Amino acid sequence: MEEKVEKAIQDIYPDDFAWCYGCGRLNKDGHHLRTGWEGDKTVTIFTPDSKYMGIPGFIYGGLVASLMDCHGSGSAALALHRKNGNEIGDGTVPPRFVTASLNMDFLKPTPQEVPLKAIGTVEEIHPKRWKVHTEIFANDVLCARGEVVLVVMPSSFIK
């Protein structure tokens, strides 16, 4: 049985902010990445198909970076939502984040058509600035690791 994220922060993003190609539930062409809690870690699971091929049998690095980026954003939103005393499903709109920096190392070729699991550890470095340390696994093999620094979405992004 394939693992999946039951309660994802992206499920409760307001419609105006649910269009990201990576994690937007309303983007019909997107990946629909979903990030939730697994104990004190965050997790996103995604199975890329062959259209994301870099070379036969493996996905291209940009997709791995996209997974890390959206996992980081969702993780920071989860952490601040919880810090604010809220949980997914309590009716409270979660905070949104944008990426300030993304640094990653590709450790092994990442196979296509197998579930990828991003596992994150969230660190608050300022009330409006968070860092997510992420490892991405394919079949329990560590393929990439890195960190995403995120900032609370500025009001200029809001209509």
Side-chain angles (χ1 to χ4, degrees), residues 8 28 38 55 60 62 82 88 91 117 133 142 147-148 155 157:
K28 68 177 181 68
E38 188 172 272
I55 59 172
Y60 79 104
R82 181 170 277 177
I88 296 171
K117 186 173 187 178
H133 304 273
L142 180 60
E147 66 180 33
V148 185
S155 60
F157 277 43

Side-chain angles (χ1 to χ4, degrees), residues 2-80:
E2 187 174 319
E3 277 187 282
K4 66 181 198 173
V5 175
E6 294 294 331
K7 291 185 175 183
I9 194 74
Q10 293 88 350
D11 294 342
I12 62 170
Y13 285 164
D15 288 355
D16 287 351
F17 299 104
W19 294 94
C20 172
Y21 186 80
C23 65
R25 71 180 186 285
L26 299 177
N27 188 325
K28 68 177 181 68
D29 297 319
H31 301 309
H32 304 134
L33 301 174
R34 304 175 75 250
T35 307
W37 289 109
E38 188 172 272
D40 63 346
K41 305 280 188 189
T42 58
V43 63
T44 303
I45 300 167
F46 178 67
T47 304
D49 61 32
S50 61
K51 69 182 171 190
Y52 302 108
M53 182 186 325
I55 59 172
F58 300 95
I59 60 172
Y60 79 104
L63 181 65
V64 180
S66 178
L67 173 58
M68 188 171 293
D69 182 33
C70 285
H71 171 76
S73 178
S75 296
L78 278 167
L80 183 53

Side-chain angles (χ1 to χ4, degrees), residues 20 30 34 102 118 124 126-127 135 137 139 141 143-144 147 152 155:
C20 172
R34 304 175 75 250
L102 170 65
E124 182 178 9
H126 178 274
E135 294 181 321
F137 296 87
N139 294 327
V141 174
C143 295
E147 66 180 33
V152 174
S155 60

Side-chain angles (χ1 to χ4, degrees), residues 87-110:
E87 293 293 335
I88 296 171
D90 69 5
T92 306
V93 174
R96 289 299 315 269
F97 283 80
V98 292
T99 304
S101 70
L102 170 65
N103 295 295
M104 62 187 300
D105 295 312
F106 296 91
L107 305 171
K108 299 264 186 197
T110 306

Side-chain angles (χ1 to χ4, degrees), residues 98-103 125 129-132 147-151:
V98 292
T99 304
S101 70
L102 170 65
N103 295 295
I125 54 180
R129 195 170 185 88
W130 295 67
K131 184 184 294 183
V132 180
E147 66 180 33
V148 185
V149 175
L150 304 115
V151 294

